Amino acid sequence: MTETPRPFPLPSQALAALSERSREIFRQIVESYLANGEPVGSRNLARLLPMGLSPASIRNVMSDLEHSGLIFAPHTSAGRLPTEQGLRFFVDAMLELGDVGREEQERIEAQMRAAASRHTFDSALAEASSLLSGVSRGAGVVLTTKSNVNLKHIEFVRLDVDRALVVLVSDDGSVENRLVDLPPGLPASALQEASNYLNARLRGLTIGGLRAEIEAGRQAMKRELDALTERLVDAGLATTVGPSDARQLIVRGQANLLEDLRAVEDLERIRLLFNDLETQKDVIDLLARAEGAEGVRIFIGSENKLFSLSGSSMIAAPFRDGSQKIVGVVGVIGPTRLNYARIVPMVDYTARVVSRMLDGGRS
């Protein structure tokens, strides 16, 4: 859907302006499109609607909806589809979200924790991407940083009188070195003491989770460590350098996008979407926009320049580490006729599972 329809009022205003029959006809057009991607005409709507309306009466309402920019005719046929603005209106004002059932919640959590226990936390993120791909029949995506991997060991190594190297070893075998300034007068034994204190509390936490753990036990740490060693512990956890902030994009299930293609223009749209997904920087930038949200964000079609040609949608939600800092995003990318009612709560729940795992299962 590439045409630019007329602007229409904000959702609350537009909804109030629609009569009951207009809302029901618009809902049926959108739900039919989300179910099968096909235009729906007045005769079919007459059979679907609970109220008894003639095709002629329905055509009059459809004409008003089209004038408002909510629907359009893709061809010369009498069938109508929602515009991108119509989809946005439906999602913001009329969408009734489903629930993630208890059995499905347990399956998601079990599969992600199994992936993490067999391999690394990155494996759990890849599993999250695959799960969302399977549910949506779209592409599952995860944006994260290297700082999300679980830590295995921390070591402070003195370089000179006022500097030390913090060596961070992750579960996946990767090693990262960070420089820290040493407090004046710090005894040599303090470096080993700080290393021992942190390693005793790692338990496979991420750097963010470990920060939260130390902060929660601040008073106990003051009793166990002297003030200079406490400052060293804080410095070792606070310092971040280049690679730890590098973005990592995980995409699974692109092949799902090739299923259920109905026309040549569908194939062209998917080809354009594949090109979008290959341009990782643009996808990362778009996902990063969802990091500022409290919950799920939905991007529809040409609302974002990345999808202006392919006419695709993205549903994404941020996840947090143990200190409640947003450290990544999970989501789904697919055609605009995604099953929003099902996928939105699935993305939200998956993001919450990832957050719990990053917090050591406590949240």
Side-chain angles (χ1 to χ4, degrees), residues 8-16 18 23 26-27 30 34 70 82-97 296-300 303 313-315 336 340-341 344:
F8 62 98
L10 294 173
S12 59
Q13 297 169 318
L15 188 61
L18 292 180
R23 284 198 298 270
F26 176 65
R27 181 191 298 279
V30 175
L34 296 180
L70 296 175
T83 61
E84 287 180 357
Q85 288 93 332
L87 277 176
R88 168 55 64 188
F89 170 68
F90 177 82
V91 165
D92 288 348
M94 301 177 70
L95 181 64
E96 296 178 2
L97 297 177
V296 179
R297 285 201 66 182
I298 302 170
F299 302 89
I300 298 175
E303 290 177 347
S313 289
M314 184 180 80
I315 301 170
T336 54
Y340 298 93
V344 168

mmCIF file of all heavy atoms in Angstrom, residues 8-16 18 23 26-27 30 34 70 82-97 296-300 303 313-315 336 340-341 344:
data_model
loop_
_atom_site.group_PDB
_atom_site.id
_atom_site.type_symbol
_atom_site.label_atom_id
_atom_site.label_comp_id
_atom_site.label_asym_id
_atom_site.label_seq_id
_atom_site.Cartn_x
_atom_site.Cartn_y
_atom_site.Cartn_z
ATOM 1 N N PHE A 8 -6.269 12.150 8.580
ATOM 2 C CA PHE A 8 -7.499 11.983 9.335
ATOM 3 C C PHE A 8 -7.229 12.350 10.788
ATOM 4 O O PHE A 8 -6.081 12.432 11.208
ATOM 5 C CB PHE A 8 -8.031 10.551 9.213
ATOM 6 C CG PHE A 8 -7.121 9.507 9.753
ATOM 7 C CD1 PHE A 8 -7.303 8.997 11.023
ATOM 8 C CD2 PHE A 8 -6.072 9.027 8.987
ATOM 9 C CE1 PHE A 8 -6.449 8.027 11.519
ATOM 10 C CE2 PHE A 8 -5.217 8.066 9.494
ATOM 11 C CZ PHE A 8 -5.404 7.567 10.750
ATOM 12 N N PRO A 9 -8.258 12.571 11.604
ATOM 13 C CA PRO A 9 -8.062 13.040 12.975
ATOM 14 C C PRO A 9 -7.314 12.032 13.828
ATOM 15 O O PRO A 9 -7.125 10.872 13.446
ATOM 16 C CB PRO A 9 -9.493 13.230 13.490
ATOM 17 C CG PRO A 9 -10.346 13.310 12.274
ATOM 18 C CD PRO A 9 -9.665 12.476 11.230
ATOM 19 N N LEU A 10 -6.892 12.481 15.004
ATOM 20 C CA LEU A 10 -6.254 11.587 15.958
ATOM 21 C C LEU A 10 -7.225 10.483 16.346
ATOM 22 O O LEU A 10 -8.443 10.664 16.274
ATOM 23 C CB LEU A 10 -5.828 12.366 17.201
ATOM 24 C CG LEU A 10 -4.728 13.414 16.969
ATOM 25 C CD1 LEU A 10 -4.516 14.229 18.231
ATOM 26 C CD2 LEU A 10 -3.436 12.750 16.537
ATOM 27 N N PRO A 11 -6.701 9.305 16.781
ATOM 28 C CA PRO A 11 -7.564 8.150 17.049
ATOM 29 C C PRO A 11 -8.787 8.433 17.908
ATOM 30 O O PRO A 11 -9.889 8.050 17.560
ATOM 31 C CB PRO A 11 -6.611 7.173 17.735
ATOM 32 C CG PRO A 11 -5.288 7.482 17.132
ATOM 33 C CD PRO A 11 -5.288 8.973 16.920
ATOM 34 N N SER A 12 -8.625 9.130 19.038
ATOM 35 C CA SER A 12 -9.768 9.360 19.919
ATOM 36 C C SER A 12 -10.830 10.201 19.230
ATOM 37 O O SER A 12 -12.031 9.956 19.359
ATOM 38 C CB SER A 12 -9.307 10.037 21.211
ATOM 39 O OG SER A 12 -8.673 11.269 20.917
ATOM 40 N N GLN A 13 -10.379 11.218 18.483
ATOM 41 C CA GLN A 13 -11.325 12.067 17.772
ATOM 42 C C GLN A 13 -12.010 11.301 16.646
ATOM 43 O O GLN A 13 -13.215 11.402 16.434
ATOM 44 C CB GLN A 13 -10.602 13.289 17.209
ATOM 45 C CG GLN A 13 -9.996 14.185 18.291
ATOM 46 C CD GLN A 13 -9.083 15.219 17.685
ATOM 47 O OE1 GLN A 13 -8.294 14.929 16.783
ATOM 48 N NE2 GLN A 13 -9.169 16.442 18.180
ATOM 49 N N ALA A 14 -11.187 10.525 15.897
ATOM 50 C CA ALA A 14 -11.728 9.775 14.766
ATOM 51 C C ALA A 14 -12.724 8.720 15.234
ATOM 52 O O ALA A 14 -13.770 8.516 14.618
ATOM 53 C CB ALA A 14 -10.593 9.124 13.978
ATOM 54 N N LEU A 15 -12.408 8.044 16.339
ATOM 55 C CA LEU A 15 -13.285 7.000 16.839
ATOM 56 C C LEU A 15 -14.635 7.592 17.266
ATOM 57 O O LEU A 15 -15.693 7.036 16.988
ATOM 58 C CB LEU A 15 -12.642 6.277 18.020
ATOM 59 C CG LEU A 15 -13.366 5.033 18.535
ATOM 60 C CD1 LEU A 15 -13.441 3.980 17.442
ATOM 61 C CD2 LEU A 15 -12.682 4.482 19.770
ATOM 62 N N ALA A 16 -14.569 8.747 17.923
ATOM 63 C CA ALA A 16 -15.804 9.388 18.363
ATOM 64 C C ALA A 16 -16.649 9.835 17.171
ATOM 65 O O ALA A 16 -17.878 9.880 17.246
ATOM 66 C CB ALA A 16 -15.483 10.583 19.256
ATOM 67 N N LEU A 18 -16.911 8.279 14.319
ATOM 68 C CA LEU A 18 -17.483 7.157 13.578
ATOM 69 C C LEU A 18 -18.738 6.634 14.270
ATOM 70 O O LEU A 18 -18.752 6.453 15.493
ATOM 71 C CB LEU A 18 -16.464 6.019 13.473
ATOM 72 C CG LEU A 18 -15.216 6.260 12.613
ATOM 73 C CD1 LEU A 18 -14.327 5.026 12.641
ATOM 74 C CD2 LEU A 18 -15.583 6.612 11.186
ATOM 75 N N ARG A 23 -17.816 1.942 12.522
ATOM 76 C CA ARG A 23 -16.757 1.243 13.254
ATOM 77 C C ARG A 23 -16.768 -0.242 12.934
ATOM 78 O O ARG A 23 -15.723 -0.858 12.735
ATOM 79 C CB ARG A 23 -16.925 1.452 14.766
ATOM 80 C CG ARG A 23 -16.489 2.810 15.254
ATOM 81 C CD ARG A 23 -16.249 2.811 16.763
ATOM 82 N NE ARG A 23 -17.464 2.495 17.517
ATOM 83 C CZ ARG A 23 -18.333 3.399 17.931
ATOM 84 N NH1 ARG A 23 -18.148 4.682 17.659
ATOM 85 N NH2 ARG A 23 -19.401 3.042 18.624
ATOM 86 N N PHE A 26 -15.574 -0.862 9.322
ATOM 87 C CA PHE A 26 -14.121 -0.655 9.267
ATOM 88 C C PHE A 26 -13.389 -1.822 9.937
ATOM 89 O O PHE A 26 -12.394 -2.341 9.414
ATOM 90 C CB PHE A 26 -13.754 0.671 9.941
ATOM 91 C CG PHE A 26 -12.275 0.925 10.014
ATOM 92 C CD1 PHE A 26 -11.515 1.101 8.858
ATOM 93 C CD2 PHE A 26 -11.630 0.966 11.245
ATOM 94 C CE1 PHE A 26 -10.147 1.318 8.926
ATOM 95 C CE2 PHE A 26 -10.264 1.187 11.325
ATOM 96 C CZ PHE A 26 -9.520 1.366 10.165
ATOM 97 N N ARG A 27 -13.878 -2.262 11.103
ATOM 98 C CA ARG A 27 -13.251 -3.397 11.796
ATOM 99 C C ARG A 27 -13.245 -4.650 10.916
ATOM 100 O O ARG A 27 -12.239 -5.352 10.823
ATOM 101 C CB ARG A 27 -13.989 -3.680 13.102
ATOM 102 C CG ARG A 27 -13.366 -4.845 13.895
ATOM 103 C CD ARG A 27 -14.270 -5.285 15.038
ATOM 104 N NE ARG A 27 -14.477 -4.222 15.988
ATOM 105 C CZ ARG A 27 -13.604 -3.909 16.953
ATOM 106 N NH1 ARG A 27 -12.474 -4.587 17.069
ATOM 107 N NH2 ARG A 27 -13.868 -2.921 17.786
ATOM 108 N N VAL A 30 -10.591 -4.374 8.170
ATOM 109 C CA VAL A 30 -9.227 -4.554 8.687
ATOM 110 C C VAL A 30 -8.989 -6.003 9.071
ATOM 111 O O VAL A 30 -7.951 -6.596 8.705
ATOM 112 C CB VAL A 30 -8.971 -3.637 9.898
ATOM 113 C CG1 VAL A 30 -7.592 -3.934 10.508
ATOM 114 C CG2 VAL A 30 -9.035 -2.174 9.488
ATOM 115 N N LEU A 34 -6.157 -8.529 7.681
ATOM 116 C CA LEU A 34 -5.146 -9.172 8.524
ATOM 117 C C LEU A 34 -5.203 -10.690 8.411
ATOM 118 O O LEU A 34 -4.185 -11.368 8.542
ATOM 119 C CB LEU A 34 -5.335 -8.748 9.991
ATOM 120 C CG LEU A 34 -5.127 -7.255 10.300
ATOM 121 C CD1 LEU A 34 -5.340 -6.987 11.785
ATOM 122 C CD2 LEU A 34 -3.743 -6.784 9.872
ATOM 123 N N LEU A 70 -9.197 6.146 5.737
ATOM 124 C CA LEU A 70 -9.028 4.912 6.502
ATOM 125 C C LEU A 70 -8.958 3.677 5.612
ATOM 126 O O LEU A 70 -8.347 2.673 6.002
ATOM 127 C CB LEU A 70 -10.174 4.750 7.499
ATOM 128 C CG LEU A 70 -10.259 5.812 8.603
ATOM 129 C CD1 LEU A 70 -11.501 5.605 9.449
ATOM 130 C CD2 LEU A 70 -9.012 5.784 9.473
ATOM 131 N N PRO A 82 -7.536 -1.567 4.211
ATOM 132 C CA PRO A 82 -7.169 -0.433 5.066
ATOM 133 C C PRO A 82 -5.908 0.250 4.532
ATOM 134 O O PRO A 82 -5.013 -0.417 4.012
ATOM 135 C CB PRO A 82 -6.897 -1.083 6.432
ATOM 136 C CG PRO A 82 -6.498 -2.489 6.098
ATOM 137 C CD PRO A 82 -7.302 -2.865 4.881
ATOM 138 N N THR A 83 -5.844 1.571 4.635
ATOM 139 C CA THR A 83 -4.605 2.289 4.336
ATOM 140 C C THR A 83 -3.642 2.091 5.503
ATOM 141 O O THR A 83 -4.022 1.569 6.564
ATOM 142 C CB THR A 83 -4.884 3.790 4.178
ATOM 143 O OG1 THR A 83 -5.409 4.286 5.423
ATOM 144 C CG2 THR A 83 -5.880 4.062 3.057
ATOM 145 N N GLU A 84 -2.410 2.526 5.342
ATOM 146 C CA GLU A 84 -1.472 2.461 6.468
ATOM 147 C C GLU A 84 -1.976 3.326 7.620
ATOM 148 O O GLU A 84 -1.854 2.955 8.790
ATOM 149 C CB GLU A 84 -0.083 2.911 6.022
ATOM 150 C CG GLU A 84 0.617 1.886 5.148
ATOM 151 C CD GLU A 84 1.991 2.338 4.697
ATOM 152 O OE1 GLU A 84 2.379 3.485 5.009
ATOM 153 O OE2 GLU A 84 2.678 1.555 4.025
ATOM 154 N N GLN A 85 -2.554 4.488 7.293
ATOM 155 C CA GLN A 85 -3.135 5.330 8.342
ATOM 156 C C GLN A 85 -4.318 4.620 9.004
ATOM 157 O O GLN A 85 -4.522 4.746 10.213
ATOM 158 C CB GLN A 85 -3.597 6.675 7.756
ATOM 159 C CG GLN A 85 -2.435 7.593 7.390
ATOM 160 C CD GLN A 85 -2.022 7.411 5.929
ATOM 161 O OE1 GLN A 85 -2.207 6.342 5.362
ATOM 162 N NE2 GLN A 85 -1.460 8.445 5.333
ATOM 163 N N GLY A 86 -5.082 3.877 8.196
ATOM 164 C CA GLY A 86 -6.192 3.119 8.766
ATOM 165 C C GLY A 86 -5.710 2.040 9.717
ATOM 166 O O GLY A 86 -6.293 1.819 10.786
ATOM 167 N N LEU A 87 -4.619 1.358 9.340
ATOM 168 C CA LEU A 87 -4.042 0.342 10.227
ATOM 169 C C LEU A 87 -3.564 0.977 11.525
ATOM 170 O O LEU A 87 -3.758 0.426 12.607
ATOM 171 C CB LEU A 87 -2.883 -0.374 9.536
ATOM 172 C CG LEU A 87 -3.236 -1.514 8.591
ATOM 173 C CD1 LEU A 87 -1.976 -2.049 7.927
ATOM 174 C CD2 LEU A 87 -3.959 -2.638 9.320
ATOM 175 N N ARG A 88 -2.905 2.141 11.410
ATOM 176 C CA ARG A 88 -2.442 2.821 12.614
ATOM 177 C C ARG A 88 -3.624 3.187 13.512
ATOM 178 O O ARG A 88 -3.577 3.003 14.729
ATOM 179 C CB ARG A 88 -1.646 4.067 12.213
ATOM 180 C CG ARG A 88 -1.336 5.047 13.346
ATOM 181 C CD ARG A 88 -0.623 4.395 14.505
ATOM 182 N NE ARG A 88 0.682 3.897 14.130
ATOM 183 C CZ ARG A 88 1.440 3.142 14.921
ATOM 184 N NH1 ARG A 88 1.016 2.781 16.113
ATOM 185 N NH2 ARG A 88 2.622 2.724 14.522
ATOM 186 N N PHE A 89 -4.686 3.694 12.914
ATOM 187 C CA PHE A 89 -5.885 4.034 13.672
ATOM 188 C C PHE A 89 -6.454 2.798 14.358
ATOM 189 O O PHE A 89 -6.819 2.818 15.545
ATOM 190 C CB PHE A 89 -6.919 4.658 12.731
ATOM 191 C CG PHE A 89 -8.283 4.823 13.343
ATOM 192 C CD1 PHE A 89 -8.487 5.735 14.367
ATOM 193 C CD2 PHE A 89 -9.357 4.059 12.895
ATOM 194 C CE1 PHE A 89 -9.748 5.888 14.924
ATOM 195 C CE2 PHE A 89 -10.610 4.207 13.454
ATOM 196 C CZ PHE A 89 -10.803 5.123 14.470
ATOM 197 N N PHE A 90 -6.536 1.689 13.623
ATOM 198 C CA PHE A 90 -7.071 0.442 14.177
ATOM 199 C C PHE A 90 -6.216 -0.032 15.353
ATOM 200 O O PHE A 90 -6.736 -0.392 16.416
ATOM 201 C CB PHE A 90 -7.117 -0.629 13.093
ATOM 202 C CG PHE A 90 -7.583 -1.976 13.579
ATOM 203 C CD1 PHE A 90 -8.928 -2.254 13.715
ATOM 204 C CD2 PHE A 90 -6.662 -2.974 13.895
ATOM 205 C CE1 PHE A 90 -9.364 -3.488 14.164
ATOM 206 C CE2 PHE A 90 -7.087 -4.215 14.346
ATOM 207 C CZ PHE A 90 -8.438 -4.473 14.480
ATOM 208 N N VAL A 91 -4.888 -0.032 15.177
ATOM 209 C CA VAL A 91 -3.975 -0.501 16.224
ATOM 210 C C VAL A 91 -4.061 0.391 17.461
ATOM 211 O O VAL A 91 -4.077 -0.086 18.595
ATOM 212 C CB VAL A 91 -2.526 -0.554 15.680
ATOM 213 C CG1 VAL A 91 -1.516 -0.688 16.812
ATOM 214 C CG2 VAL A 91 -2.375 -1.721 14.706
ATOM 215 N N ASP A 92 -4.128 1.705 17.260
ATOM 216 C CA ASP A 92 -4.125 2.629 18.398
ATOM 217 C C ASP A 92 -5.465 2.711 19.117
ATOM 218 O O ASP A 92 -5.508 2.915 20.331
ATOM 219 C CB ASP A 92 -3.745 4.043 17.927
ATOM 220 C CG ASP A 92 -2.272 4.154 17.554
ATOM 221 O OD1 ASP A 92 -1.515 3.218 17.871
ATOM 222 O OD2 ASP A 92 -1.888 5.162 16.940
ATOM 223 N N ALA A 93 -6.577 2.569 18.380
ATOM 224 C CA ALA A 93 -7.875 2.866 18.969
ATOM 225 C C ALA A 93 -8.820 1.677 19.087
ATOM 226 O O ALA A 93 -9.761 1.723 19.884
ATOM 227 C CB ALA A 93 -8.573 3.969 18.153
ATOM 228 N N MET A 94 -8.588 0.614 18.312
ATOM 229 C CA MET A 94 -9.591 -0.454 18.259
ATOM 230 C C MET A 94 -9.035 -1.854 18.514
ATOM 231 O O MET A 94 -9.808 -2.796 18.687
ATOM 232 C CB MET A 94 -10.283 -0.435 16.884
ATOM 233 C CG MET A 94 -10.973 0.880 16.560
ATOM 234 S SD MET A 94 -11.707 0.905 14.900
ATOM 235 C CE MET A 94 -13.074 -0.243 15.120
ATOM 236 N N LEU A 95 -7.731 -1.999 18.548
ATOM 237 C CA LEU A 95 -7.130 -3.331 18.678
ATOM 238 C C LEU A 95 -7.433 -3.946 20.040
ATOM 239 O O LEU A 95 -7.219 -3.315 21.080
ATOM 240 C CB LEU A 95 -5.617 -3.243 18.475
ATOM 241 C CG LEU A 95 -4.840 -4.564 18.546
ATOM 242 C CD1 LEU A 95 -5.261 -5.486 17.407
ATOM 243 C CD2 LEU A 95 -3.341 -4.305 18.500
ATOM 244 N N GLU A 96 -7.930 -5.163 20.045
ATOM 245 C CA GLU A 96 -8.175 -5.911 21.272
ATOM 246 C C GLU A 96 -7.100 -6.990 21.394
ATOM 247 O O GLU A 96 -7.082 -7.950 20.625
ATOM 248 C CB GLU A 96 -9.576 -6.537 21.244
ATOM 249 C CG GLU A 96 -10.696 -5.505 21.203
ATOM 250 C CD GLU A 96 -12.073 -6.139 21.119
ATOM 251 O OE1 GLU A 96 -12.144 -7.390 21.140
ATOM 252 O OE2 GLU A 96 -13.068 -5.393 21.030
ATOM 253 N N LEU A 97 -6.209 -6.804 22.349
ATOM 254 C CA LEU A 97 -5.071 -7.710 22.486
ATOM 255 C C LEU A 97 -5.487 -9.036 23.104
ATOM 256 O O LEU A 97 -6.342 -9.093 23.997
ATOM 257 C CB LEU A 97 -3.988 -7.068 23.355
ATOM 258 C CG LEU A 97 -3.351 -5.788 22.805
ATOM 259 C CD1 LEU A 97 -2.348 -5.232 23.804
ATOM 260 C CD2 LEU A 97 -2.669 -6.060 21.466
ATOM 261 N N VAL A 296 5.605 -1.967 24.401
ATOM 262 C CA VAL A 296 5.711 -2.344 22.993
ATOM 263 C C VAL A 296 5.515 -1.120 22.092
ATOM 264 O O VAL A 296 4.641 -0.292 22.343
ATOM 265 C CB VAL A 296 4.662 -3.415 22.637
ATOM 266 C CG1 VAL A 296 4.763 -3.799 21.171
ATOM 267 C CG2 VAL A 296 4.830 -4.639 23.528
ATOM 268 N N ARG A 297 6.351 -1.025 21.046
ATOM 269 C CA ARG A 297 6.162 0.000 20.018
ATOM 270 C C ARG A 297 5.856 -0.682 18.691
ATOM 271 O O ARG A 297 6.383 -1.760 18.399
ATOM 272 C CB ARG A 297 7.405 0.876 19.862
ATOM 273 C CG ARG A 297 7.592 1.876 20.984
ATOM 274 C CD ARG A 297 8.489 3.018 20.579
ATOM 275 N NE ARG A 297 7.893 3.846 19.537
ATOM 276 C CZ ARG A 297 8.511 4.894 18.996
ATOM 277 N NH1 ARG A 297 9.729 5.223 19.380
ATOM 278 N NH2 ARG A 297 7.907 5.605 18.056
ATOM 279 N N ILE A 298 4.993 -0.035 17.900
ATOM 280 C CA ILE A 298 4.595 -0.584 16.609
ATOM 281 C C ILE A 298 4.885 0.445 15.530
ATOM 282 O O ILE A 298 4.454 1.593 15.622
ATOM 283 C CB ILE A 298 3.091 -0.940 16.603
ATOM 284 C CG1 ILE A 298 2.777 -1.955 17.711
ATOM 285 C CG2 ILE A 298 2.674 -1.495 15.241
ATOM 286 C CD1 ILE A 298 1.287 -2.181 17.923
ATOM 287 N N PHE A 299 5.665 0.035 14.528
ATOM 288 C CA PHE A 299 5.971 0.877 13.376
ATOM 289 C C PHE A 299 5.264 0.267 12.162
ATOM 290 O O PHE A 299 5.453 -0.913 11.869
ATOM 291 C CB PHE A 299 7.466 0.936 13.114
ATOM 292 C CG PHE A 299 8.275 1.462 14.281
ATOM 293 C CD1 PHE A 299 8.750 0.600 15.259
ATOM 294 C CD2 PHE A 299 8.558 2.811 14.391
ATOM 295 C CE1 PHE A 299 9.496 1.066 16.325
ATOM 296 C CE2 PHE A 299 9.303 3.299 15.452
ATOM 297 C CZ PHE A 299 9.773 2.430 16.427
ATOM 298 N N ILE A 300 4.479 1.067 11.461
ATOM 299 C CA ILE A 300 3.691 0.545 10.343
ATOM 300 C C ILE A 300 4.089 1.238 9.045
ATOM 301 O O ILE A 300 3.997 2.463 8.933
ATOM 302 C CB ILE A 300 2.176 0.743 10.590
ATOM 303 C CG1 ILE A 300 1.731 -0.037 11.835
ATOM 304 C CG2 ILE A 300 1.368 0.287 9.373
ATOM 305 C CD1 ILE A 300 0.279 0.185 12.220
ATOM 306 N N GLU A 303 5.513 4.939 7.820
ATOM 307 C CA GLU A 303 5.767 5.780 8.993
ATOM 308 C C GLU A 303 7.263 5.873 9.248
ATOM 309 O O GLU A 303 7.734 6.840 9.826
ATOM 310 C CB GLU A 303 5.093 5.186 10.230
ATOM 311 C CG GLU A 303 3.589 5.255 10.220
ATOM 312 C CD GLU A 303 2.996 4.586 11.453
ATOM 313 O OE1 GLU A 303 3.723 3.866 12.162
ATOM 314 O OE2 GLU A 303 1.804 4.789 11.684
ATOM 315 N N SER A 313 5.886 -3.851 8.628
ATOM 316 C CA SER A 313 5.656 -3.387 9.991
ATOM 317 C C SER A 313 6.671 -4.010 10.941
ATOM 318 O O SER A 313 7.233 -5.076 10.656
ATOM 319 C CB SER A 313 4.244 -3.760 10.474
ATOM 320 O OG SER A 313 3.250 -3.008 9.821
ATOM 321 N N MET A 314 6.886 -3.340 12.065
ATOM 322 C CA MET A 314 7.735 -3.897 13.115
ATOM 323 C C MET A 314 7.046 -3.713 14.459
ATOM 324 O O MET A 314 6.493 -2.644 14.747
ATOM 325 C CB MET A 314 9.096 -3.227 13.159
ATOM 326 C CG MET A 314 10.030 -3.874 14.191
ATOM 327 S SD MET A 314 11.657 -3.111 14.270
ATOM 328 C CE MET A 314 11.293 -1.678 15.282
ATOM 329 N N ILE A 315 7.056 -4.769 15.266
ATOM 330 C CA ILE A 315 6.550 -4.734 16.633
ATOM 331 C C ILE A 315 7.741 -5.037 17.530
ATOM 332 O O ILE A 315 8.401 -6.066 17.363
ATOM 333 C CB ILE A 315 5.447 -5.786 16.847
ATOM 334 C CG1 ILE A 315 4.285 -5.544 15.874
ATOM 335 C CG2 ILE A 315 4.944 -5.773 18.295
ATOM 336 C CD1 ILE A 315 3.266 -6.669 15.845
ATOM 337 N N THR A 336 2.542 -5.705 6.683
ATOM 338 C CA THR A 336 1.654 -4.889 7.518
ATOM 339 C C THR A 336 0.463 -5.681 8.038
ATOM 340 O O THR A 336 -0.174 -5.264 9.002
ATOM 341 C CB THR A 336 1.142 -3.661 6.740
ATOM 342 O OG1 THR A 336 0.549 -4.090 5.510
ATOM 343 C CG2 THR A 336 2.263 -2.688 6.464
ATOM 344 N N TYR A 340 -1.526 -8.497 14.848
ATOM 345 C CA TYR A 340 -1.122 -7.612 15.939
ATOM 346 C C TYR A 340 -1.675 -8.065 17.281
ATOM 347 O O TYR A 340 -0.987 -8.006 18.308
ATOM 348 C CB TYR A 340 -1.578 -6.178 15.651
ATOM 349 C CG TYR A 340 -0.965 -5.579 14.413
ATOM 350 C CD1 TYR A 340 -1.607 -5.667 13.171
ATOM 351 C CD2 TYR A 340 0.264 -4.934 14.457
ATOM 352 C CE1 TYR A 340 -1.043 -5.125 12.023
ATOM 353 C CE2 TYR A 340 0.841 -4.385 13.312
ATOM 354 C CZ TYR A 340 0.176 -4.490 12.099
ATOM 355 O OH TYR A 340 0.745 -3.956 10.969
ATOM 356 N N ALA A 341 -2.927 -8.534 17.305
ATOM 357 C CA ALA A 341 -3.564 -8.919 18.569
ATOM 358 C C ALA A 341 -2.806 -10.044 19.257
ATOM 359 O O ALA A 341 -2.758 -10.103 20.492
ATOM 360 C CB ALA A 341 -5.010 -9.336 18.319
ATOM 361 N N VAL A 344 1.657 -8.668 19.561
ATOM 362 C CA VAL A 344 2.016 -7.632 20.533
ATOM 363 C C VAL A 344 2.217 -8.218 21.939
ATOM 364 O O VAL A 344 3.260 -7.992 22.567
ATOM 365 C CB VAL A 344 0.970 -6.497 20.538
ATOM 366 C CG1 VAL A 344 1.177 -5.570 21.741
ATOM 367 C CG2 VAL A 344 1.050 -5.694 19.246
#
